[in-house]
Amino acid sequence: MSNPLSLRQLEYLVAVAETGQISRAALRCNVSQSSMTIALKKLEHILDCKLLIRHAKGVDLSAAGEVFVIKARNILNDVEHAVESIVLPPADMTGQIRLGITETFSAYLLPTLLPALRKQFPNIIFNIHECDRADIEQALLADTLDLGIIIVSNLQEKTHLHYEIMLRSERNLWLDPENPLQYSTTITLADVAQQPFILLDMDEHLINAAAYWEASQLAPNIHFHSRSLESVRSLVAMGQGVTILSDLVYRQFSLEGRRLIRRPLNEQLPTMNVGCIWKKQPSLVPNLSDVIEFIRKKITDTQQ
């Protein structure tokens, strides 16, 4: 390979795969759209294959691109782990951190966050509790939890709890590859209201969805409610309806291996704001500020 590929090119490709648009990927990577386009074209030239399929609404991965982006993610993760391995963990930090986390983040953040926390703070015991947002708030006020990870925009008790938004995840339309709606130049909530809708009912999603539907004076044509995100994903992938969900939980394939398409809506939907909450008090639980800083970095990294 006369022109070796770079980690930066891999980072760009992964960003495009996750955002579905060159412009959004460029913003995420803090680079100009033209620079990213040139870098990706060079990557395709190096590999001598087409990785991206461009269309009116953005870009999709080609079959070769879907295979290669998995390898690219693995390479980037390996590099990150290699860098982390030379940083000595704070061995003098001991004690216990009681962490409450809601259902969505327990499934989509905890599997990577908890091992990273235990690796970074080997002498701190992390007790994890999956709870509803309201229960986490009450437990923090009662000093039975030290820290919570929730959808911060749903936080009710703001007088006695600190909060910090660490990730703003956009909500987009999910549909199957055979749905003709994906080829529309613009897609509105009115268009979505004409489609059979698969509604997720977990982690206060109903409250958030009702807010933007009511604001538009429209209502979804609900064909099925489910508390299982994987069920929603599978039903959409099999062409049984569409849904609107956060990019944080988007995956290109269902458990059955069927593909899902993600498209932005013409309306500006509220983002899903993920972050930490903890009790306001004169001094934090020992080591809590270091743990919060580490969680901030790990959650922020999910946007990269």
Side-chain angles (χ1 to χ4, degrees):
M1 189 180 294
S2 57
N3 293 310
L5 54 82
S6 68
L7 292 176
R8 196 65 168 161
Q9 287 170 318
L10 301 185
E11 179 187 349
Y12 291 167
L13 180 65
V14 170
V16 170
E18 293 178 351
T19 61
Q21 292 185 334
I22 299 287
S23 57
R24 289 185 180 181
L27 184 62
R28 173 189 290 191
C29 296
N30 195 28
V31 66
S32 70
Q33 186 171 338
S34 60
S35 295
M36 176 168 284
T37 300
I38 292 170
L40 291 172
K41 285 182 177 179
K42 286 182 178 179
L43 179 59
E44 290 180 320
H45 177 72
I46 291 169
L47 298 175
D48 192 25
C49 70
K50 194 170 186 64
L51 300 174
L52 301 172
I53 301 172
R54 291 161 176 80
H55 52 78
K57 297 297 294 181
V59 292
D60 285 328
L61 293 173
S62 67
E66 289 173 353
V67 173
F68 188 74
V69 80
I70 295 173
K71 306 288 187 183
R73 283 195 184 97
N74 290 338
I75 291 169
L76 293 172
N77 287 336
D78 287 344
V79 171
E80 181 181 357
H81 293 158
V83 172
E84 289 177 349
S85 68
I86 66 172
V87 179
L88 294 177
D92 58 328
M93 291 187 179
T94 60
Q96 173 182 270
I97 299 293
R98 299 161 299 175
L99 174 64
I101 187 166
T102 57
E103 188 176 5
T104 298
F105 309 127
S106 176
Y108 286 89
L109 288 179
L110 195 59
T112 54
L113 179 59
L114 184 56
L117 281 168
R118 286 175 170 164
K119 180 179 178 181
Q120 180 70 13
F121 305 100
N123 297 319
I124 292 180
I125 298 171
F126 289 93
N127 290 324
I128 313 298
H129 304 267
E130 183 181 290
C131 316
D132 293 337
R133 184 268 313 155
D135 292 336
I136 291 175
E137 290 186 34
Q138 291 305 311
L140 289 169
L141 294 173
D143 294 320
T144 56
L145 284 179
D146 304 307
L147 187 65
I149 299 177
I150 67 167
I151 300 175
V152 176
S153 47
N154 293 343
L155 178 65
Q156 296 298 306
E157 176 51 77
K158 296 184 179 180
T159 303
H160 301 100
L161 294 177
H162 280 296
Y163 67 93
E164 178 182 342
I165 297 173
M166 298 176 178
L167 182 152
R168 298 178 190 271
S169 182
E170 294 185 358
R171 289 184 168 95
N172 285 299
L173 176 68
W174 296 9
L175 62 168
D176 72 283
E178 303 302 320
N179 192 315
L181 193 60
Q182 67 164 303
Y183 300 110
S184 300
T185 304
T186 59
I187 305 175
T188 67
L189 280 176
D191 296 324
V192 177
Q194 301 303 312
Q195 298 277 322
F197 198 86
I198 312 298
L199 184 63
L200 179 66
D201 180 9
M202 64 178 284
D203 205 358
E204 299 186 301
H205 174 75
L206 291 183
I207 297 173
N208 297 307
Y212 59 75
W213 279 110
E214 289 173 5
S216 68
Q217 298 183 326
L218 293 166
N221 179 20
I222 299 171
H223 276 216
F224 186 67
H225 286 77
S226 178
R227 289 191 57 81
S228 167
L229 182 51
E230 294 307 326
S231 177
V232 171
R233 194 192 314 279
S234 293
L235 288 168
V236 171
M238 289 188 289
Q240 299 305 299
V242 302
T243 196
I244 296 173
L245 287 173
S246 159
D247 286 350
L248 176 67
V249 297
Y250 173 74
R251 302 291 183 269
Q252 284 190 324
F253 296 95
S254 69
L255 291 176
E256 299 80 15
R258 292 176 178 266
R259 193 172 180 199
L260 291 95
I261 302 295
R262 176 180 51 177
R263 290 287 178 266
L265 292 165
N266 192 53
E267 289 90 350
Q268 188 68 41
L269 298 185
T271 56
M272 184 174 76
N273 299 332
V274 184
C276 285
I277 59 172
W278 61 97
K279 187 177 180 180
K280 293 180 180 178
Q281 47 194 344
S283 60
L284 290 178
V285 171
N287 305 321
L288 188 59
S289 60
D290 295 279
V291 170
I292 292 171
E293 173 61 31
F294 184 77
I295 292 174
R296 179 187 300 116
K297 178 182 183 302
K298 297 304 291 186
I299 291 181
T300 302
D301 284 349
T302 65
Q303 302 176 86
Q304 304 303 315

